[in-house]
Amino acid sequence: MRPTLTWEPTGEGVPASTDPAAVVEAVEAGGVVVLSGAGLSTESGIPDYRGEQGSLRRGHLPMTYQEFTGEEQARQRYWARSQLGWRAMTRARPNAGHRAVAALADAGLVTGVITQNVDGLQQAAGARDVIELHGSLDRVTCLTCGNLSDRADLDRRLREANPGFEDTAERHRAARVNPDGDVDLPEDAVRTFRVVPCAVCRTGVLKPDVVFFGENVPPGRVAACRLLVDTAATLLVLGSSLTVMSGLRFVRQAAQAGTPVVIVNQGPTRGDRWARHRVELPLGEVMSAVVDRVRP
Ligand SMILES: [Zn+2]
């Protein structure tokens, strides 16, 4: 069974507004914990999953944990496509939304950031202590010995193991990257790709240090997020449809504790019924306006 990838809006919950006042008010009061999703990175050129230009609408089907760990061919396809996607990802730069969150954290108004994104852009904008709920494409883990290593090291090893692949990469430079660092690549290019094992134990299967669809977020990481949400004066959701439970559960937690939930997202979200406000405006625009308004 495939994990939940889509969800049908029920029309329940708060109607959308185009007035950022609720966001300004929440941020001015301080104690804001941010939960961000793929919508925050679309202005950096990384499409989201479910928005207007979302990758799922283009037929992109993210690989599941079960496929990745169960099939050698699936891993070959993953790493071949990732080899192109990861480089496109490293060219992406933080946008106004990322910079605004970092500025508000610096000002002490945002007290914690949980991101569902694996692109590292929030940290690149200068935010510290970001909890990467779904991990990071920057790191690779060994499923056998547990060693963590840099994706950049693996990039070098994969390039050495696949000398001709550079040309393929060049031909597909324009391929659209997906939010999980995947790109579309013809099967014949995939089938010749050589995957390398762990450099430490020499045999272990390498996996990007990201949480796949169908995989659970490590319990310790969930607990850290729960503690953070417990301390929040407001939970501010930025650019997430909250389709998957890994993020939605924190919205429920906040609402059950009586903590206001404010959502900024293009389109309805699965968390709307627990939200006090939902603002439907481009994130860079809203968050830059918020920074201008709260700055003394
Ligand atoms: Zn290993």
Side-chain angles (χ1 to χ4, degrees), residues 142-147 198-206:
C142 172
L143 292 178
T144 302
C145 74
N147 180 63
C198 171
V200 174
C201 70
R202 302 277 171 196
T203 55
V205 166
L206 294 176

Side-chain angles (χ1 to χ4, degrees), residues 138-142 147-154 206 209:
D138 264 1
R139 295 182 303 267
V140 177
T141 179
C142 172
N147 180 63
L148 268 184
S149 55
D150 280 354
R151 179 65 177 81
D153 292 337
L154 180 62
L206 294 176
D209 190 24

Side-chain angles (χ1 to χ4, degrees), residues 152-212:
D153 292 337
L154 180 62
D155 180 60
R156 276 191 291 277
R157 295 181 61 214
L158 287 174
R159 269 198 265 181
E160 280 166 22
N162 296 278
F165 197 68
E166 293 293 311
D167 305 333
T168 310
E170 203 48 48
R171 282 202 301 279
H172 291 275
R173 252 180 99 82
R176 281 187 84 163
V177 66
N178 295 311
D180 54 356
D182 186 22
V183 295
D184 299 328
L185 190 64
E187 276 298 307
D188 59 333
V190 166
R191 277 196 299 271
T192 57
F193 194 78
R194 283 189 58 212
V195 177
V196 297
C198 171
V200 174
C201 70
R202 302 277 171 196
T203 55
V205 166
L206 294 176
K207 172 183 167 293
D209 190 24
V210 299
V211 175
F212 278 61

